[in-house]
Amino acid sequence: MFTITPVRAFADNYIWVLQQGTGALAVDPGEAAPLIAFLEHGGLALQGILITHHHADHCGGLAELLQRWPQARVYGPATISGVNQPVAEGGRIDWQGYQFEVLALPGHTLDHLAYYGHGQLFCGDTLFGAGCGRLFEGSPAQMLASLDKLAALPDTTRFYPAHEYTLSNLKFALAVEPDNDEIQLRQLLDQKQIAMGLPTLPTELGLEKTTNPFMRCSKPAVQQQASRQAGQALQDRLQVFTVLREWKNNFR
Ligand SMILES: [Zn+2]
């Protein structure tokens, strides 16, 4: 089985690097330099790249990486410059005999994809630890449907988001559900991780279902708090999701 290592980029991005032997597959290289340093240090060749969406902090390193490894296969939305293996919902990727499936997850952007295989999911800016991506292009209904699609995967699926946002998301999660013990415990554990200089990621779907407010829109406690926020009684999941997402946009 391949190993998966986070390479830090910018202020809080992770470039996840899958490694098998001397070959590597990288996810969302927003900048090339830290990835090149990691690959050189390990004597690795970049065989492939997975791109989740068009934002520069996810694909900005492509040109430089392709100069260095021109034969690398770059999978992603067809409209992104540098993608030489365009993929969409239902597409399949083979890397060193490992298969990954492409999931379309519109919401954060309309072109957003995720890559799923071997119990691992590379989800870009759709789901974060205890949170979800902002809606830059898609509607709340699209994002909720995308999160529902992820929620249907096995609970043991490991999620690899592209940003370290977990602690600030947990603060919001506690504002939504102050009495949720699972969120309190997760905050303690993740504070320790960060204090030790370690990532809080990957996360597991099962944990997100108990601590991520955006995956809990049908829970009575979440509905009540969203209703308080909206000043009207909300029961519809989409209304609850919409209020939570708006609230989080302005939450400090
Ligand atoms: Zn983004």
Side-chain angles (χ1 to χ4, degrees), residues 162-185:
H163 290 274
E164 180 61 78
Y165 289 160
T166 312
L167 284 186
S168 74
N169 286 338
L170 284 168
K171 239 192 245 173
F172 177 72
L174 278 172
V176 178
E177 291 187 87
D179 302 324
N180 183 322
D181 294 342
E182 312 271 347
I183 299 176
Q184 290 171 8
L185 176 61

Side-chain angles (χ1 to χ4, degrees), residues 53 55 58 108 125:
H53 65 292
H55 286 159
H58 296 255
H108 175 70
D125 287 355

Side-chain angles (χ1 to χ4, degrees), residues 88-104:
E89 170 74 24
R92 297 207 168 257
I93 283 157
D94 185 292
W95 169 68
Q96 295 206 36
Y98 295 107
Q99 311 278 326
F100 294 89
E101 188 188 333
V102 181
L103 306 178

Side-chain angles (χ1 to χ4, degrees), residues 2-208:
F2 51 84
T3 60
I4 307 177
T5 310
V7 172
R8 289 176 194 270
F10 305 111
D12 51 32
N13 282 68
Y14 292 125
I15 303 167
W16 297 102
V17 182
L18 288 68
Q19 180 184 336
Q20 164 91 334
T22 56
L25 176 70
V27 186
D28 282 352
E31 56 178 343
L35 179 58
I36 291 174
F38 174 84
L39 295 172
E40 277 185 347
H41 182 78
L44 301 172
L46 185 62
Q47 298 169 321
I49 296 173
L50 307 179
I51 299 289
T52 61
H53 65 292
H54 68 83
H55 286 159
D57 64 316
H58 296 255
C59 55
L62 276 183
E64 197 179 335
L65 291 167
L66 280 169
Q67 244 170 23
R68 179 78 193 266
W69 290 282
Q71 63 289 64
R73 296 166 78 87
V74 185
Y75 301 89
T79 49
I80 295 173
S81 154
V83 166
N84 55 34
Q85 311 284 325
V87 288
E89 170 74 24
R92 297 207 168 257
I93 283 157
D94 185 292
W95 169 68
Q96 295 206 36
Y98 295 107
Q99 311 278 326
F100 294 89
E101 188 188 333
V102 181
L103 306 178
L105 299 175
H108 175 70
T109 62
L110 292 175
D111 66 352
H112 203 297
L113 303 175
Y115 300 90
Y116 173 60
H118 309 276
Q120 327 287 324
L121 177 90
F122 300 93
C123 52
D125 287 355
T126 295
L127 184 130
F128 297 122
C132 76
R134 280 175 189 260
L135 303 182
F136 285 112
E137 298 173 8
S139 65
Q142 282 175 315
M143 187 57 137
L144 185 59
S146 291
L147 294 177
D148 286 346
K149 202 163 164 181
L150 298 183
L153 298 172
D155 275 355
T156 52
T157 306
R158 284 149 71 89
F159 283 21
Y160 295 77
H163 290 274
E164 180 61 78
Y165 289 160
T166 312
L167 284 186
S168 74
N169 286 338
L170 284 168
K171 239 192 245 173
F172 177 72
L174 278 172
V176 178
E177 291 187 87
D179 302 324
N180 183 322
D181 294 342
E182 312 271 347
I183 299 176
Q184 290 171 8
L185 176 61
R186 184 175 185 184
Q187 190 182 43
L188 283 176
L189 296 174
D190 283 344
Q191 279 169 344
K192 276 189 194 161
Q193 286 290 108
I194 295 293
M196 290 189 292
L198 298 172
T200 62
L201 303 169
T203 178
E204 253 188 34
L205 176 58
L207 178 64
E208 295 307 318

